[in-house]
Amino acid sequence: MQRVLVEGARASQLGVADSAGMGSVSQRQLEARTIYRPGELLEATPGLVASQHSGEGKANQFYLRGFNLDHGTDLRTSVDGMPVNQRSHAHGQGWTDLNFIIPELVARLDYSKGPYNASTGDFSSAGDTAINYSNRLPQDQASATAGQNGYGRALLAGSRESGDSGSWLYALETVHNDGPFTRGDNYRKLNAVLRYSDGFANNGYSITAMAYRGAWNATDQIPQRAVDSGLLGRFGGIDLTDGGQARRFSLSAAWARSDEKQTTRANAYIINNRLELFSNFTYFLDDPLHGDQFAQPDRRLTSGFDVSHSWHDHMDDMAWSTTLGLQAQNDNIFNALLHTEARQVLATVRADHIVETSAALYLQQRLRVTPWLRGEAGVRLDRYRFAVGDVRAGETLASPSISLAFGPWSRTEFYLNAGHGFHSNDARGVTQAQDPATPLARSRGLEFGLRSEAVKGLQTVLALYRLDFDSELVYLGDAGSTEAGRPSRRYGIEFSNYYKPFKWLSLDADLALARGRFRGTGAAPGDDGGNRIPGAIEGVAQLAATVTPAGPWSGALRLRWFGPRPLVEDNSVRSKASATVNGRLACKLASRTTLELEGFNLANRQVSAIDYFYESRLKGETGARADIHFHPIEARSFRLSLNHAF
């Protein structure tokens, strides 16, 4: 049979979503986005910002729901069922490196916010994002891209039918990028995917191999005083030997069987990750002679599986589904903290062999009572075991959740959600002799939301939430790590709109505001002094227009506003807000050939991608100086791509 490609507006979530924070972004919508690096695909999640404070190969910094999520803490990310977050990582808990993603292969991005889903677990309290690759591509494609600052990219991807229902998917990508920095990043990436699939998503299986390798120089954050004095330009660096290299190899399999009464799904994976990271955030503060550069090597083998079985049935207006799931993951980790100079080891601060194992059993019950009332209740039981050398620790935690949906009335639904979640802490902190960290830090969330399509062509989502944590993980800019801090509470509001007034025009408008404070020790009624959460985002907004007329031309323009943040607990030092505009313009030269121009930071704003406040010492300074340290947003640049389908 001839293939038919159906294109439409953003899929309606009425009657589907369990909360206002749930959604799905299609491949066509993702293609319309202009992304500087692969991790920015997650910005398709309303209210989420992906930033960077170092070289191109390093994991992104993420912000969502009032959190500075560091490199992925409290934002669970998966690719085809494989976890991306790395536990007890050398540099940051929940390390989420998405540089191995090939955007052209992404079929769908699913997201949810808040601890209201029993199937997600660790790292998902603020949000959960799931990237799903295609099993087949409509057409094979080749792409070549050239841009400013030494940017180059080549891609070859396609699929081949095998037998009656089988298919091979392949992709090979290579990238080089220097960026605008005085010493170029010299980022070199090689990426490959090979998949065999048979059948379909609900009745079929797939086996996937992925390989990624990247190496780069890094211009880390620099002190504001060095720029003000003329010692450095905005794109200069202090330690010119910072940088790193990363490798990721994975083999995964997924299988599903469905009939009218039940569905079984299973996936298993084995992932080999390696990272060598060299950083220097304080320069000559601790060692005036050799400098403060440190290395954080991390190599690990991660294996696990996720299997679930659902029973579903209906009678008249009632429908129900019961899902029982079992998940397990094991991480065999070797990491260290080394004092280095020009990437040469001077001393070993610590070196550890970590074995972290977890297993979870969860039960979800969905019930539609009437056409206007449905709900879901779930409970999750997690067991964690931490081993660092000969020291052991462990904890078991139960996490219940409940969601109710009312409507739709006049194509408007209302949601109530409550649930418990958690994030695991670094095994080294959990097993230390003095003041050990809580193995699993609990979160509690409440949310009220609505979703409306009452106006033709307009999808509107409004969410009001509160999220409490028993222990806040705070990023330490001068140490390049995280530590468990005081309990915290966040309130927030999210307002998202998608409007398609014409077939050829779609408009997005997203706004998220949040208020985050530490709770407990140091808090005084009516006094916020000393209780701000450093880096906690207070506001995010995105405005976008996508134009796809019938002719050969199409384009998109997107404005992103990244709000101010407190940088210290007493709020005496704050980062400034920033606004950037990205855009793309495409022209179809022939039926199978497209020329596309992407532009980044079109207004050439000299703003920060990220800010920290801590003490450092430059060469020649007599002592420590507290200062804002920032990483600049890249200067205006353009990339030109030639894409051919065959």
Side-chain angles (χ1 to χ4, degrees), residues 237-447:
I238 295 174
D239 193 330
L240 301 183
T241 63
D242 288 350
Q245 59 180 344
R247 299 179 185 179
R248 183 191 183 277
F249 305 96
S250 67
L251 182 65
S252 62
W255 175 87
R257 284 292 180 270
S258 300
D259 58 32
E260 293 182 355
K261 297 291 185 179
Q262 51 191 344
T263 300
T264 303
R265 299 184 184 276
N267 71 280
Y269 52 86
I270 183 167
I271 311 167
N272 180 275
N273 275 296
R274 294 194 175 199
L275 176 71
E276 295 181 17
L277 187 64
F278 297 88
S279 309
N280 187 347
F281 301 139
T282 53
Y283 321 122
F284 295 93
L285 179 65
D286 298 321
D287 188 337
L289 178 61
H290 300 287
D292 297 349
Q293 188 185 75
F294 57 95
Q296 294 169 303
D298 187 290
R299 57 185 177 94
R300 64 183 59 216
L301 188 67
T302 300
S303 56
F305 66 84
D306 183 347
V307 60
S308 65
H309 187 83
S310 300
W311 298 266
H312 39 85
D313 208 340
H314 67 278
M315 183 177 64
D316 298 327
D317 289 334
M318 293 186 63
W320 56 90
S321 173
T322 303
T323 301
L324 182 64
L326 177 65
Q327 300 168 342
Q329 180 179 332
N330 181 77
D331 293 278
N332 191 13
I333 308 163
F334 294 87
N335 59 27
L337 177 60
L338 313 173
H339 182 202
T340 60
E341 181 182 15
R343 302 197 185 190
Q344 299 301 310
V345 178
L346 300 178
T348 299
V349 180
R350 66 178 300 165
D352 299 287
H353 176 208
I354 302 169
V355 179
E356 185 169 341
T357 306
S358 64
L361 182 68
Y362 68 89
L363 178 67
Q364 284 181 308
Q365 179 66 55
R366 299 175 185 267
L367 177 64
R368 188 182 69 204
V369 182
T370 70
W372 57 268
L373 176 61
R374 67 182 190 276
E376 174 186 330
V379 63
R380 178 185 180 93
L381 186 66
D382 283 272
R383 172 63 184 172
Y384 272 66
R385 181 179 180 273
F386 305 86
V388 181
D390 296 328
V391 184
R392 305 285 190 273
E395 187 173 4
T396 302
L397 187 68
S399 304
S401 60
I402 187 169
S403 300
L404 295 174
F406 306 88
W409 297 291
S410 300
R411 297 193 60 79
T412 301
E413 281 188 338
F414 300 87
Y415 308 95
L416 284 174
N417 307 92
H420 287 225
F422 70 95
H423 65 234
S424 60
N425 280 324
D426 191 295
R428 292 163 294 183
V430 169
T431 57
Q432 65 189 15
Q434 293 184 344
D435 299 323
T438 303
L440 306 178
R442 181 182 289 279
S443 65
R444 291 170 292 277
L446 294 170
E447 186 170 324

Side-chain angles (χ1 to χ4, degrees), residues 172-218:
L172 182 64
E173 176 196 38
T174 180
V175 174
H176 179 271
N177 191 16
D178 284 326
F181 303 101
T182 303
R183 183 197 61 156
D185 278 355
N186 192 24
Y187 178 46
R188 294 93 66 201
K189 174 168 78 169
L190 187 62
N191 213 356
V193 173
L194 182 64
R195 164 177 289 178
Y196 179 78
S197 62
D198 191 286
F200 303 94
N202 58 341
N203 274 293
Y205 70 91
S206 66
I207 301 173
T208 307
M210 299 183 185
Y212 158 74
R213 180 172 182 173
W216 65 94
N217 301 323

Side-chain angles (χ1 to χ4, degrees), residues 625-643:
R625 292 186 60 180
D627 198 359
I628 291 178
H629 298 71
F630 74 96
H631 189 75
I633 284 180
E634 293 77 10
R636 179 172 51 217
S637 63
F638 295 92
R639 297 173 184 173
L640 186 65
S641 299
L642 182 65
N643 308 309

Side-chain angles (χ1 to χ4, degrees), residues 600-621:
F600 304 91
N601 191 13
L602 293 176
N604 204 26
R605 297 291 302 277
Q606 294 189 6
V607 292
S608 298
I610 198 164
D611 295 300
Y612 304 101
F613 186 81
Y614 57 84
E615 290 185 342
S616 64
R617 181 181 179 184
L618 297 172
K619 202 171 188 65
E621 291 182 337

